[in-house]
Amino acid sequence: MKKILFYYGRLMSVILGLIVYTLPADAQQVTVRASIDSLQLLVGEQTKIHLEVSMDADRKLRLPVIKDTLVRGVEVLDIAKPDTQKLNDDKRWLIRQDYTVTSFDSALYYLPPLEVMVDDKEYRSESLALKVYSIPVDTLHPDQFFGPKTIVEVPLQWQDIDSMVYSLILMLLFGAGCVFLIVRLKNNKPIIKIIKIEPKLPPHQEAMKHIEEIKANKNIQREDPKLYYTELTDVIRTYIAERFGFNAMEMTSAEIIEQLLQVKDKDSLKDLKYLFETADLVKFAKHAPMMNENDMNLVNAVDFINETKIEEEPGTKKEPTEIKVEEKRSKQGRIALMCSIGVTGIAAAVCLYIAVRCIIDLFF
């Protein structure tokens, strides 16, 4: 009896080996599995169904096309993107796909196998089951049941509208700036600059200012007497022209003295005449005056100015004169103006978009 059982077992092994050997290669190369996270749910709860397909990398796969329900009563909420994993040195693929399902009716549901196509051949996973329970209700305490709440209007707060308000204010500012720049560009108005001109000093103060500058330069007296006397006489000539009203700059020394004799006596002009004569000798006859002579002529010029100056009334102060200068707008200015228009226009449009979005989110 034992020998019979032994030979029977050997025969069955051989038969099974032949069956496995004669099976198609596809049955060994393609594996389809399905699993579910939870077999039991309450009404409205969700669970996930996992589909796994193992196949050779050189084959083509088509996953099942599922719309909104697996079976009647079981709804598909989401289908995840397939995840592919390479195995055995990229010779095999493991493809996974998840399906999120739910149900709103209590029952025991039979979930049919999921079908995939590999090289136009159909393969199926195992079937699944899902039990959905209704929410237990305590009927012994009906006073704990409450009806639906009424709609409550939530009051607006500053945090709800601050973005909208700021966006509208900025839109108005940028819009006004853009319109102003467009008008300026269209009218092509010149740029107006206001220049303040300080009042001119009185003739005697201006002359004394220059004499102090000459006096401070000691080197010019020793090294260049001609330049020294030229500057000194020019200061006196300018003062005489502004003080007495005749063109002393274009007159000779004798003509200036003769003109001054009409308003001054001869004795008061003696020192000024000596200054002019010394200056003429230095400039035209190469006369070399002594240092004390230079200082004396400088003192004579100061005395003449002090004796003939016209003092202003105390407390009077001349205000600066304002002059408007119009400059035509350059090409660079027009380009800068157009760029400013573009920037302010875009900024206004962005602020308007933000304000509209805030209004839509708040009221719609």
Side-chain angles (χ1 to χ4, degrees):
M1 186 66 180
K2 292 182 178 179
K3 289 184 178 180
I4 294 173
L5 292 174
F6 174 75
Y7 287 114
Y8 178 75
R10 292 292 300 274
L11 179 62
M12 293 301 295
S13 298
V14 172
I15 292 173
L16 289 174
L18 291 174
I19 293 173
V20 173
Y21 179 76
T22 56
L23 281 173
D26 292 344
Q28 299 177 9
Q29 295 176 351
V30 179
T31 304
V32 181
R33 295 187 180 89
S35 62
I36 188 168
D37 286 345
S38 178
L39 298 176
Q40 298 179 355
L41 297 177
L42 290 176
V43 171
E45 289 186 337
Q46 300 176 8
T47 188
K48 286 187 178 182
I49 297 174
H50 307 282
L51 175 63
E52 292 186 356
V53 180
S54 177
M55 52 179 280
D56 289 340
D58 57 350
R59 310 192 71 176
K60 295 182 180 179
L61 171 67
R62 187 172 65 186
L63 294 170
V65 179
I66 301 175
K67 294 184 179 179
D68 54 353
T69 59
L70 279 177
V71 294
R72 185 176 181 181
V74 180
E75 300 181 7
V76 178
L77 301 179
D78 180 61
I79 300 176
K81 185 177 180 181
D83 179 31
T84 303
Q85 183 179 358
K86 296 181 180 181
L87 305 172
N88 298 339
D89 297 329
D90 297 343
K91 294 180 180 179
R92 298 279 294 174
W93 281 357
L94 180 62
I95 298 96
R96 297 186 178 93
Q97 190 168 37
D98 296 338
Y99 304 87
T100 304
V101 298
T102 189
S103 178
F104 297 96
D105 294 321
S106 59
L108 175 62
Y109 295 98
Y110 167 76
L111 306 180
L114 298 174
E115 299 177 355
V116 300
M117 299 293 294
V118 179
D119 288 342
D120 298 329
K121 188 172 182 179
E122 183 180 288
Y123 296 87
R124 293 186 176 185
S125 70
E126 59 269 28
S127 59
L128 302 171
L130 178 64
K131 177 63 176 177
V132 180
Y133 295 93
S134 60
I135 299 175
V137 178
D138 187 3
T139 58
L140 298 178
H141 300 86
D143 56 331
Q144 295 183 0
F145 292 93
F146 302 97
K149 298 292 184 179
T150 58
I151 298 176
V152 179
E153 294 186 0
V154 179
L156 287 177
Q157 297 181 353
W158 173 247
Q159 292 81 357
D160 301 327
I161 61 173
D162 56 350
S163 299
M164 178 185 66
V165 173
Y166 292 142
S167 299
L168 290 174
I169 293 174
L170 290 175
M171 182 203 68
L172 294 176
L173 293 176
F174 284 122
C178 184
V179 171
F180 172 76
L181 294 174
I182 291 174
V183 173
R184 288 294 302 271
L185 180 63
K186 185 177 180 181
N187 294 342
N188 196 23
K189 291 183 178 180
I191 301 174
I192 299 176
K193 293 183 178 180
I194 298 177
I195 301 176
K196 289 186 177 181
I197 300 177
E198 295 296 331
K200 189 177 180 180
L201 293 175
H204 66 280
Q205 293 183 8
E206 188 73 24
M208 292 299 297
K209 176 182 175 182
H210 291 295
I211 287 178
E212 290 296 328
E213 294 174 358
I214 295 173
K215 183 179 179 181
N217 191 355
K218 299 292 185 180
N219 294 331
I220 193 174
Q221 297 185 33
R222 295 191 301 266
E223 299 175 1
D224 195 350
K226 183 177 179 180
L227 178 60
Y228 171 76
Y229 278 98
T230 300
E231 292 183 357
L232 183 60
T233 54
D234 285 345
V235 171
I236 297 299
R237 288 173 181 270
T238 303
Y239 167 73
I240 292 173
E242 294 179 358
R243 168 63 180 83
F244 295 99
F246 60 87
N247 191 7
M249 298 298 295
E250 302 296 333
M251 301 172 65
T252 63
S253 300
E255 291 174 342
I256 294 174
I257 297 299
E258 184 179 353
Q259 188 72 26
L260 290 174
L261 287 173
Q262 299 179 9
V263 293
K264 300 285 290 181
D265 56 35
K266 187 175 181 180
D267 292 337
S268 61
L269 298 176
K270 182 173 62 174
D271 293 337
L272 180 64
K273 182 179 179 182
Y274 179 77
L275 168 61
F276 280 127
E277 290 176 351
T278 304
D280 291 340
L281 291 175
V282 172
K283 289 188 288 185
F284 303 112
K286 297 182 180 181
H287 173 64
M290 301 296 292
M291 287 296 298
N292 59 349
E293 189 176 2
N294 295 336
D295 295 336
M296 183 183 64
N297 285 320
L298 184 66
V299 172
N300 292 338
V302 173
D303 292 340
F304 174 76
I305 293 171
N306 290 329
E307 291 174 359
T308 58
K309 67 181 180 181
I310 299 177
E311 293 286 354
E312 294 183 348
E313 295 181 3
T316 59
K317 183 179 180 181
K318 295 182 180 179
E319 296 295 330
T321 304
E322 292 185 354
I323 300 177
K324 291 184 178 180
V325 179
E326 294 185 358
E327 297 180 358
K328 292 184 178 180
R329 189 175 290 113
S330 62
K331 183 178 180 181
Q332 291 80 2
R334 291 180 60 83
I335 293 175
L337 195 58
M338 288 187 287
C339 292
S340 301
I341 291 172
V343 171
T344 53
I346 293 173
V350 171
C351 294
L352 177 61
Y353 171 78
I354 296 175
V356 172
R357 289 296 306 173
C358 292
I359 294 173
I360 294 174
D361 295 340
L362 189 61
F363 299 104
F364 299 97

